[in-house]
PDB file of all heavy atoms in Angstrom:
ATOM      1  N   CYS A 870      -2.034 -33.878  95.079  1.00 78.00           N
ATOM      2  CA  CYS A 870      -0.828 -34.712  95.200  1.00 78.00           C
ATOM      3  C   CYS A 870       0.263 -34.238  94.262  1.00 78.00           C
ATOM      4  O   CYS A 870       1.448 -34.171  94.633  1.00 78.00           O
ATOM      5  CB  CYS A 870      -1.185 -36.161  94.915  1.00 78.00           C
ATOM      6  SG  CYS A 870      -2.193 -36.938  96.197  1.00 78.00           S
ATOM      7  N   GLN A 871      -0.131 -33.884  93.029  1.00 78.00           N
ATOM      8  CA  GLN A 871       0.880 -33.418  92.082  1.00 78.00           C
ATOM      9  C   GLN A 871       1.502 -32.090  92.528  1.00 78.00           C
ATOM     10  O   GLN A 871       2.695 -31.860  92.340  1.00 78.00           O
ATOM     11  CB  GLN A 871       0.246 -33.285  90.696  1.00 78.00           C
ATOM     12  CG  GLN A 871      -0.057 -34.630  90.052  1.00 78.00           C
ATOM     13  CD  GLN A 871      -0.696 -34.476  88.685  1.00 78.00           C
ATOM     14  OE1 GLN A 871      -0.989 -33.358  88.246  1.00 78.00           O
ATOM     15  NE2 GLN A 871      -0.914 -35.605  88.019  1.00 78.00           N
ATOM     16  N   SER A 872       0.657 -31.219  93.119  1.00 80.00           N
ATOM     17  CA  SER A 872       1.192 -29.942  93.598  1.00 80.00           C
ATOM     18  C   SER A 872       2.197 -30.163  94.721  1.00 80.00           C
ATOM     19  O   SER A 872       3.251 -29.522  94.777  1.00 80.00           O
ATOM     20  CB  SER A 872       0.050 -29.041  94.063  1.00 80.00           C
ATOM     21  OG  SER A 872      -0.832 -28.777  92.988  1.00 80.00           O
ATOM     22  N   LYS A 873       1.869 -31.056  95.632  1.00 77.00           N
ATOM     23  CA  LYS A 873       2.778 -31.331  96.740  1.00 77.00           C
ATOM     24  C   LYS A 873       4.096 -31.916  96.242  1.00 77.00           C
ATOM     25  O   LYS A 873       5.170 -31.549  96.698  1.00 77.00           O
ATOM     26  CB  LYS A 873       2.122 -32.291  97.723  1.00 77.00           C
ATOM     27  CG  LYS A 873       0.962 -31.679  98.497  1.00 77.00           C
ATOM     28  CD  LYS A 873       0.341 -32.690  99.440  1.00 77.00           C
ATOM     29  CE  LYS A 873      -0.831 -32.096 100.209  1.00 77.00           C
ATOM     30  NZ  LYS A 873      -1.448 -33.078 101.128  1.00 77.00           N
ATOM     31  N   LEU A 874       3.989 -32.816  95.289  1.00 72.00           N
ATOM     32  CA  LEU A 874       5.214 -33.428  94.745  1.00 72.00           C
ATOM     33  C   LEU A 874       6.051 -32.420  93.983  1.00 72.00           C
ATOM     34  O   LEU A 874       7.279 -32.474  94.000  1.00 72.00           O
ATOM     35  CB  LEU A 874       4.847 -34.614  93.826  1.00 72.00           C
ATOM     36  CG  LEU A 874       4.260 -35.848  94.511  1.00 72.00           C
ATOM     37  CD1 LEU A 874       3.773 -36.855  93.478  1.00 72.00           C
ATOM     38  CD2 LEU A 874       5.300 -36.481  95.423  1.00 72.00           C
ATOM     39  N   LYS A 875       5.392 -31.488  93.326  1.00 72.00           N
ATOM     40  CA  LYS A 875       6.108 -30.524  92.494  1.00 72.00           C
ATOM     41  C   LYS A 875       6.906 -29.540  93.320  1.00 72.00           C
ATOM     42  O   LYS A 875       8.003 -29.117  92.944  1.00 72.00           O
ATOM     43  CB  LYS A 875       5.106 -29.800  91.601  1.00 72.00           C
ATOM     44  CG  LYS A 875       5.765 -28.867  90.603  1.00 72.00           C
ATOM     45  CD  LYS A 875       4.711 -28.272  89.685  1.00 72.00           C
ATOM     46  CE  LYS A 875       5.357 -27.347  88.659  1.00 72.00           C
ATOM     47  NZ  LYS A 875       4.359 -26.718  87.751  1.00 72.00           N
ATOM     48  N   PHE A 876       6.323 -29.109  94.465  1.00 71.00           N
ATOM     49  CA  PHE A 876       6.973 -28.069  95.262  1.00 71.00           C
ATOM     50  C   PHE A 876       7.774 -28.613  96.442  1.00 71.00           C
ATOM     51  O   PHE A 876       8.073 -27.891  97.368  1.00 71.00           O
ATOM     52  CB  PHE A 876       5.900 -27.090  95.787  1.00 71.00           C
ATOM     53  CG  PHE A 876       5.277 -26.282  94.679  1.00 71.00           C
ATOM     54  CD1 PHE A 876       3.996 -26.589  94.225  1.00 71.00           C
ATOM     55  CD2 PHE A 876       5.968 -25.216  94.099  1.00 71.00           C
ATOM     56  CE1 PHE A 876       3.414 -25.851  93.202  1.00 71.00           C
ATOM     57  CE2 PHE A 876       5.368 -24.490  93.083  1.00 71.00           C
ATOM     58  CZ  PHE A 876       4.100 -24.799  92.628  1.00 71.00           C
ATOM     59  N   LEU A 877       8.071 -29.892  96.421  1.00 64.00           N
ATOM     60  CA  LEU A 877       8.933 -30.449  97.465  1.00 64.00           C
ATOM     61  C   LEU A 877      10.337 -29.877  97.341  1.00 64.00           C
ATOM     62  O   LEU A 877      10.832 -29.627  96.229  1.00 64.00           O
ATOM     63  CB  LEU A 877       8.999 -31.977  97.350  1.00 64.00           C
ATOM     64  CG  LEU A 877       7.790 -32.755  97.883  1.00 64.00           C
ATOM     65  CD1 LEU A 877       7.989 -34.240  97.627  1.00 64.00           C
ATOM     66  CD2 LEU A 877       7.611 -32.505  99.373  1.00 64.00           C
ATOM     67  N   GLU A 878      10.997 -29.687  98.427  1.00 51.00           N
ATOM     68  CA  GLU A 878      12.370 -29.170  98.397  1.00 51.00           C
ATOM     69  C   GLU A 878      13.310 -30.214  97.829  1.00 51.00           C
ATOM     70  O   GLU A 878      13.213 -31.397  98.159  1.00 51.00           O
ATOM     71  CB  GLU A 878      12.803 -28.809  99.819  1.00 51.00           C
ATOM     72  CG  GLU A 878      12.046 -27.632 100.399  1.00 51.00           C
ATOM     73  CD  GLU A 878      12.560 -27.255 101.782  1.00 51.00           C
ATOM     74  OE1 GLU A 878      13.517 -27.940 102.228  1.00 51.00           O
ATOM     75  OE2 GLU A 878      12.027 -26.326 102.359  1.00 51.00           O
ATOM     76  N   THR A 879      14.148 -29.756  96.990  1.00 52.00           N
ATOM     77  CA  THR A 879      15.100 -30.649  96.332  1.00 52.00           C
ATOM     78  C   THR A 879      16.388 -30.661  97.117  1.00 52.00           C
ATOM     79  O   THR A 879      16.766 -29.677  97.740  1.00 52.00           O
ATOM     80  CB  THR A 879      15.371 -30.172  94.898  1.00 52.00           C
ATOM     81  OG1 THR A 879      15.880 -28.847  94.945  1.00 52.00           O
ATOM     82  CG2 THR A 879      14.101 -30.216  94.073  1.00 52.00           C
ATOM     83  N   GLU A 880      17.075 -31.772  97.059  1.00 52.00           N
ATOM     84  CA  GLU A 880      18.360 -31.920  97.727  1.00 52.00           C
ATOM     85  C   GLU A 880      19.474 -31.604  96.752  1.00 52.00           C
ATOM     86  O   GLU A 880      19.375 -31.853  95.558  1.00 52.00           O
ATOM     87  CB  GLU A 880      18.510 -33.352  98.251  1.00 52.00           C
ATOM     88  CG  GLU A 880      17.475 -33.709  99.295  1.00 52.00           C
ATOM     89  CD  GLU A 880      17.661 -35.127  99.786  1.00 52.00           C
ATOM     90  OE1 GLU A 880      18.600 -35.787  99.295  1.00 52.00           O
ATOM     91  OE2 GLU A 880      16.863 -35.560 100.625  1.00 52.00           O
ATOM     92  N   THR A 881      20.539 -30.989  97.294  1.00 55.00           N
ATOM     93  CA  THR A 881      21.712 -30.669  96.480  1.00 55.00           C
ATOM     94  C   THR A 881      22.694 -31.826  96.570  1.00 55.00           C
ATOM     95  O   THR A 881      23.117 -32.199  97.668  1.00 55.00           O
ATOM     96  CB  THR A 881      22.377 -29.384  96.979  1.00 55.00           C
ATOM     97  OG1 THR A 881      21.427 -28.331  96.915  1.00 55.00           O
ATOM     98  CG2 THR A 881      23.585 -29.046  96.113  1.00 55.00           C
ATOM     99  N   VAL A 882      23.015 -32.400  95.427  1.00 52.00           N
ATOM    100  CA  VAL A 882      23.911 -33.552  95.373  1.00 52.00           C
ATOM    101  C   VAL A 882      25.045 -33.245  94.428  1.00 52.00           C
ATOM    102  O   VAL A 882      24.924 -32.391  93.539  1.00 52.00           O
ATOM    103  CB  VAL A 882      23.145 -34.803  94.900  1.00 52.00           C
ATOM    104  CG1 VAL A 882      22.073 -35.171  95.902  1.00 52.00           C
ATOM    105  CG2 VAL A 882      22.525 -34.569  93.537  1.00 52.00           C
ATOM    106  N   PRO A 883      26.179 -33.899  94.609  1.00 58.00           N
ATOM    107  CA  PRO A 883      27.289 -33.692  93.671  1.00 58.00           C
ATOM    108  C   PRO A 883      26.889 -34.091  92.257  1.00 58.00           C
ATOM    109  O   PRO A 883      26.059 -34.965  92.046  1.00 58.00           O
ATOM    110  CB  PRO A 883      28.376 -34.607  94.238  1.00 58.00           C
ATOM    111  CG  PRO A 883      27.999 -34.851  95.641  1.00 58.00           C
ATOM    112  CD  PRO A 883      26.514 -34.796  95.715  1.00 58.00           C
ATOM    113  N   LYS A 884      27.498 -33.430  91.279  1.00 57.00           N
ATOM    114  CA  LYS A 884      27.167 -33.692  89.872  1.00 57.00           C
ATOM    115  C   LYS A 884      27.514 -35.118  89.470  1.00 57.00           C
ATOM    116  O   LYS A 884      26.828 -35.740  88.667  1.00 57.00           O
ATOM    117  CB  LYS A 884      27.918 -32.697  89.007  1.00 57.00           C
ATOM    118  CG  LYS A 884      27.560 -32.805  87.541  1.00 57.00           C
ATOM    119  CD  LYS A 884      28.260 -31.725  86.746  1.00 57.00           C
ATOM    120  CE  LYS A 884      27.880 -31.810  85.278  1.00 57.00           C
ATOM    121  NZ  LYS A 884      28.548 -30.774  84.473  1.00 57.00           N
ATOM    122  N   SER A 885      28.603 -35.656  90.052  1.00 60.00           N
ATOM    123  CA  SER A 885      29.050 -36.994  89.654  1.00 60.00           C
ATOM    124  C   SER A 885      28.056 -38.077  90.071  1.00 60.00           C
ATOM    125  O   SER A 885      27.933 -39.105  89.435  1.00 60.00           O
ATOM    126  CB  SER A 885      30.413 -37.283  90.265  1.00 60.00           C
ATOM    127  OG  SER A 885      30.337 -37.163  91.682  1.00 60.00           O
ATOM    128  N   SER A 886      27.314 -37.831  91.193  1.00 69.00           N
ATOM    129  CA  SER A 886      26.361 -38.842  91.678  1.00 69.00           C
ATOM    130  C   SER A 886      24.920 -38.387  91.514  1.00 69.00           C
ATOM    131  O   SER A 886      24.051 -38.871  92.231  1.00 69.00           O
ATOM    132  CB  SER A 886      26.649 -39.140  93.139  1.00 69.00           C
ATOM    133  OG  SER A 886      26.516 -37.954  93.916  1.00 69.00           O
ATOM    134  N   ALA A 887      24.657 -37.471  90.582  1.00 73.00           N
ATOM    135  CA  ALA A 887      23.292 -36.954  90.408  1.00 73.00           C
ATOM    136  C   ALA A 887      22.346 -38.047  89.924  1.00 73.00           C
ATOM    137  O   ALA A 887      21.256 -38.240  90.480  1.00 73.00           O
ATOM    138  CB  ALA A 887      23.318 -35.778  89.433  1.00 73.00           C
ATOM    139  N   LYS A 888      22.759 -38.787  88.903  1.00 80.00           N
ATOM    140  CA  LYS A 888      21.874 -39.818  88.344  1.00 80.00           C
ATOM    141  C   LYS A 888      21.626 -40.928  89.354  1.00 80.00           C
ATOM    142  O   LYS A 888      20.497 -41.427  89.493  1.00 80.00           O
ATOM    143  CB  LYS A 888      22.477 -40.403  87.080  1.00 80.00           C
ATOM    144  CG  LYS A 888      22.545 -39.415  85.922  1.00 80.00           C
ATOM    145  CD  LYS A 888      23.090 -40.095  84.678  1.00 80.00           C
ATOM    146  CE  LYS A 888      23.126 -39.120  83.507  1.00 80.00           C
ATOM    147  NZ  LYS A 888      23.650 -39.762  82.272  1.00 80.00           N
ATOM    148  N   PHE A 889      22.651 -41.288  90.098  1.00 81.00           N
ATOM    149  CA  PHE A 889      22.482 -42.337  91.103  1.00 81.00           C
ATOM    150  C   PHE A 889      21.528 -41.895  92.201  1.00 81.00           C
ATOM    151  O   PHE A 889      20.655 -42.652  92.632  1.00 81.00           O
ATOM    152  CB  PHE A 889      23.852 -42.689  91.692  1.00 81.00           C
ATOM    153  CG  PHE A 889      23.790 -43.683  92.807  1.00 81.00           C
ATOM    154  CD1 PHE A 889      23.545 -45.031  92.538  1.00 81.00           C
ATOM    155  CD2 PHE A 889      23.959 -43.272  94.128  1.00 81.00           C
ATOM    156  CE1 PHE A 889      23.493 -45.947  93.583  1.00 81.00           C
ATOM    157  CE2 PHE A 889      23.889 -44.178  95.161  1.00 81.00           C
ATOM    158  CZ  PHE A 889      23.657 -45.538  94.893  1.00 81.00           C
ATOM    159  N   SER A 890      21.676 -40.613  92.623  1.00 79.00           N
ATOM    160  CA  SER A 890      20.797 -40.093  93.678  1.00 79.00           C
ATOM    161  C   SER A 890      19.359 -40.015  93.204  1.00 79.00           C
ATOM    162  O   SER A 890      18.421 -40.338  93.944  1.00 79.00           O
ATOM    163  CB  SER A 890      21.278 -38.707  94.121  1.00 79.00           C
ATOM    164  OG  SER A 890      22.599 -38.782  94.619  1.00 79.00           O
ATOM    165  N   LEU A 891      19.168 -39.621  91.941  1.00 83.00           N
ATOM    166  CA  LEU A 891      17.806 -39.565  91.393  1.00 83.00           C
ATOM    167  C   LEU A 891      17.195 -40.952  91.339  1.00 83.00           C
ATOM    168  O   LEU A 891      15.999 -41.132  91.617  1.00 83.00           O
ATOM    169  CB  LEU A 891      17.832 -38.927  90.011  1.00 83.00           C
ATOM    170  CG  LEU A 891      18.173 -37.424  89.966  1.00 83.00           C
ATOM    171  CD1 LEU A 891      18.272 -36.951  88.515  1.00 83.00           C
ATOM    172  CD2 LEU A 891      17.109 -36.612  90.701  1.00 83.00           C
ATOM    173  N   SER A 892      18.010 -41.927  90.986  1.00 84.00           N
ATOM    174  CA  SER A 892      17.502 -43.307  90.938  1.00 84.00           C
ATOM    175  C   SER A 892      17.090 -43.771  92.331  1.00 84.00           C
ATOM    176  O   SER A 892      16.057 -44.425  92.502  1.00 84.00           O
ATOM    177  CB  SER A 892      18.561 -44.242  90.353  1.00 84.00           C
ATOM    178  OG  SER A 892      18.903 -43.856  89.037  1.00 84.00           O
ATOM    179  N   ILE A 893      17.896 -43.413  93.336  1.00 86.00           N
ATOM    180  CA  ILE A 893      17.565 -43.792  94.716  1.00 86.00           C
ATOM    181  C   ILE A 893      16.264 -43.135  95.154  1.00 86.00           C
ATOM    182  O   ILE A 893      15.399 -43.779  95.765  1.00 86.00           O
ATOM    183  CB  ILE A 893      18.713 -43.405  95.662  1.00 86.00           C
ATOM    184  CG1 ILE A 893      19.974 -44.236  95.333  1.00 86.00           C
ATOM    185  CG2 ILE A 893      18.306 -43.610  97.118  1.00 86.00           C
ATOM    186  CD1 ILE A 893      19.807 -45.713  95.542  1.00 86.00           C
ATOM    187  N   MET A 894      16.101 -41.859  94.792  1.00 84.00           N
ATOM    188  CA  MET A 894      14.871 -41.152  95.182  1.00 84.00           C
ATOM    189  C   MET A 894      13.658 -41.759  94.487  1.00 84.00           C
ATOM    190  O   MET A 894      12.593 -41.913  95.103  1.00 84.00           O
ATOM    191  CB  MET A 894      15.003 -39.664  94.827  1.00 84.00           C
ATOM    192  CG  MET A 894      16.075 -38.933  95.651  1.00 84.00           C
ATOM    193  SD  MET A 894      16.377 -37.251  95.087  1.00 84.00           S
ATOM    194  CE  MET A 894      14.783 -36.524  95.445  1.00 84.00           C
ATOM    195  N   CYS A 895      13.822 -42.108  93.230  1.00 85.00           N
ATOM    196  CA  CYS A 895      12.711 -42.730  92.487  1.00 85.00           C
ATOM    197  C   CYS A 895      12.347 -44.076  93.104  1.00 85.00           C
ATOM    198  O   CYS A 895      11.173 -44.423  93.235  1.00 85.00           O
ATOM    199  CB  CYS A 895      13.095 -42.881  91.017  1.00 85.00           C
ATOM    200  SG  CYS A 895      11.761 -43.528  89.984  1.00 85.00           S
ATOM    201  N   MET A 896      13.365 -44.818  93.496  1.00 88.00           N
ATOM    202  CA  MET A 896      13.111 -46.104  94.126  1.00 88.00           C
ATOM    203  C   MET A 896      12.375 -45.939  95.447  1.00 88.00           C
ATOM    204  O   MET A 896      11.451 -46.703  95.769  1.00 88.00           O
ATOM    205  CB  MET A 896      14.442 -46.833  94.349  1.00 88.00           C
ATOM    206  CG  MET A 896      14.267 -48.241  94.915  1.00 88.00           C
ATOM    207  SD  MET A 896      15.816 -49.015  95.381  1.00 88.00           S
ATOM    208  CE  MET A 896      16.213 -48.015  96.813  1.00 88.00           C
ATOM    209  N   LYS A 897      12.764 -44.890  96.230  1.00 86.00           N
ATOM    210  CA  LYS A 897      12.079 -44.648  97.502  1.00 86.00           C
ATOM    211  C   LYS A 897      10.616 -44.295  97.268  1.00 86.00           C
ATOM    212  O   LYS A 897       9.728 -44.744  97.996  1.00 86.00           O
ATOM    213  CB  LYS A 897      12.771 -43.528  98.254  1.00 86.00           C
ATOM    214  CG  LYS A 897      14.157 -43.914  98.789  1.00 86.00           C
ATOM    215  CD  LYS A 897      14.795 -42.748  99.529  1.00 86.00           C
ATOM    216  CE  LYS A 897      16.157 -43.132 100.101  1.00 86.00           C
ATOM    217  NZ  LYS A 897      16.806 -42.011 100.821  1.00 86.00           N
ATOM    218  N   ALA A 898      10.367 -43.489  96.216  1.00 84.00           N
ATOM    219  CA  ALA A 898       8.982 -43.104  95.919  1.00 84.00           C
ATOM    220  C   ALA A 898       8.155 -44.317  95.534  1.00 84.00           C
ATOM    221  O   ALA A 898       7.012 -44.493  95.986  1.00 84.00           O
ATOM    222  CB  ALA A 898       8.972 -42.068  94.801  1.00 84.00           C
ATOM    223  N   LEU A 899       8.716 -45.161  94.693  1.00 86.00           N
ATOM    224  CA  LEU A 899       7.974 -46.364  94.268  1.00 86.00           C
ATOM    225  C   LEU A 899       7.766 -47.324  95.433  1.00 86.00           C
ATOM    226  O   LEU A 899       6.717 -47.963  95.546  1.00 86.00           O
ATOM    227  CB  LEU A 899       8.739 -47.074  93.141  1.00 86.00           C
ATOM    228  CG  LEU A 899       8.796 -46.312  91.806  1.00 86.00           C
ATOM    229  CD1 LEU A 899       9.693 -47.054  90.820  1.00 86.00           C
ATOM    230  CD2 LEU A 899       7.400 -46.131  91.228  1.00 86.00           C
ATOM    231  N   THR A 900       8.769 -47.396  96.336  1.00 87.00           N
ATOM    232  CA  THR A 900       8.618 -48.258  97.510  1.00 87.00           C
ATOM    233  C   THR A 900       7.506 -47.764  98.415  1.00 87.00           C
ATOM    234  O   THR A 900       6.706 -48.538  98.938  1.00 87.00           O
ATOM    235  CB  THR A 900       9.940 -48.316  98.286  1.00 87.00           C
ATOM    236  OG1 THR A 900      10.975 -48.782  97.414  1.00 87.00           O
ATOM    237  CG2 THR A 900       9.827 -49.260  99.477  1.00 87.00           C
ATOM    238  N   ALA A 901       7.458 -46.440  98.588  1.00 84.00           N
ATOM    239  CA  ALA A 901       6.379 -45.873  99.413  1.00 84.00           C
ATOM    240  C   ALA A 901       5.021 -46.146  98.790  1.00 84.00           C
ATOM    241  O   ALA A 901       4.055 -46.495  99.487  1.00 84.00           O
ATOM    242  CB  ALA A 901       6.616 -44.374  99.574  1.00 84.00           C
ATOM    243  N   GLU A 902       4.941 -45.994  97.464  1.00 82.00           N
ATOM    244  CA  GLU A 902       3.661 -46.267  96.781  1.00 82.00           C
ATOM    245  C   GLU A 902       3.290 -47.732  96.924  1.00 82.00           C
ATOM    246  O   GLU A 902       2.118 -48.080  97.141  1.00 82.00           O
ATOM    247  CB  GLU A 902       3.780 -45.883  95.311  1.00 82.00           C
ATOM    248  CG  GLU A 902       2.458 -46.048  94.548  1.00 82.00           C
ATOM    249  CD  GLU A 902       2.589 -45.609  93.107  1.00 82.00           C
ATOM    250  OE1 GLU A 902       3.658 -45.104  92.722  1.00 82.00           O
ATOM    251  OE2 GLU A 902       1.613 -45.783  92.355  1.00 82.00           O
ATOM    252  N   TYR A 903       4.287 -48.610  96.815  1.00 83.00           N
ATOM    253  CA  TYR A 903       4.023 -50.044  96.961  1.00 83.00           C
ATOM    254  C   TYR A 903       3.484 -50.357  98.358  1.00 83.00           C
ATOM    255  O   TYR A 903       2.538 -51.147  98.516  1.00 83.00           O
ATOM    256  CB  TYR A 903       5.320 -50.825  96.689  1.00 83.00           C
ATOM    257  CG  TYR A 903       5.239 -52.282  97.055  1.00 83.00           C
ATOM    258  CD1 TYR A 903       4.551 -53.190  96.246  1.00 83.00           C
ATOM    259  CD2 TYR A 903       5.859 -52.755  98.217  1.00 83.00           C
ATOM    260  CE1 TYR A 903       4.479 -54.520  96.591  1.00 83.00           C
ATOM    261  CE2 TYR A 903       5.786 -54.092  98.563  1.00 83.00           C
ATOM    262  CZ  TYR A 903       5.093 -54.980  97.754  1.00 83.00           C
ATOM    263  OH  TYR A 903       5.018 -56.302  98.090  1.00 83.00           O
ATOM    264  N   ASN A 904       4.082 -49.729  99.379  1.00 83.00           N
ATOM    265  CA  ASN A 904       3.608 -49.939 100.745  1.00 83.00           C
ATOM    266  C   ASN A 904       2.184 -49.452 100.929  1.00 83.00           C
ATOM    267  O   ASN A 904       1.379 -50.084 101.625  1.00 83.00           O
ATOM    268  CB  ASN A 904       4.539 -49.245 101.736  1.00 83.00           C
ATOM    269  CG  ASN A 904       5.920 -49.879 101.760  1.00 83.00           C
ATOM    270  OD1 ASN A 904       6.059 -51.069 101.502  1.00 83.00           O
ATOM    271  ND2 ASN A 904       6.943 -49.075 102.058  1.00 83.00           N
ATOM    272  N   GLN A 905       1.835 -48.336 100.288  1.00 80.00           N
ATOM    273  CA  GLN A 905       0.466 -47.833 100.356  1.00 80.00           C
ATOM    274  C   GLN A 905      -0.506 -48.817  99.711  1.00 80.00           C
ATOM    275  O   GLN A 905      -1.602 -49.034 100.205  1.00 80.00           O
ATOM    276  CB  GLN A 905       0.381 -46.456  99.679  1.00 80.00           C
ATOM    277  CG  GLN A 905       1.083 -45.342 100.433  1.00 80.00           C
ATOM    278  CD  GLN A 905       0.434 -45.082 101.784  1.00 80.00           C
ATOM    279  OE1 GLN A 905      -0.785 -45.178 101.935  1.00 80.00           O
ATOM    280  NE2 GLN A 905       1.263 -44.763 102.781  1.00 80.00           N
TER     281      GLN A 905
END
């Protein structure tokens, strides 16, 4: 699982919204884990 997560393709986002996009991605990951 860690290997799969590590080598996932990253998305290119503007620098101004980088932190916001990372927060959204983290929230999606936690939501998926919660659903599991």
Side-chain angles (χ1 to χ4, degrees):
C870 290
Q871 288 180 356
S872 299
K873 290 179 181 180
L874 291 172
K875 185 176 181 181
F876 292 104
L877 282 177
E878 293 183 1
T879 59
E880 297 180 0
T881 301
V882 296
K884 185 176 181 180
S885 57
S886 60
K888 293 183 179 180
F889 176 74
S890 300
L891 291 176
S892 300
I893 294 297
M894 293 172 65
C895 184
M896 184 188 70
K897 290 180 178 180
L899 292 174
T900 303
E902 184 178 356
Y903 169 76
N904 294 331
Q905 290 296 324

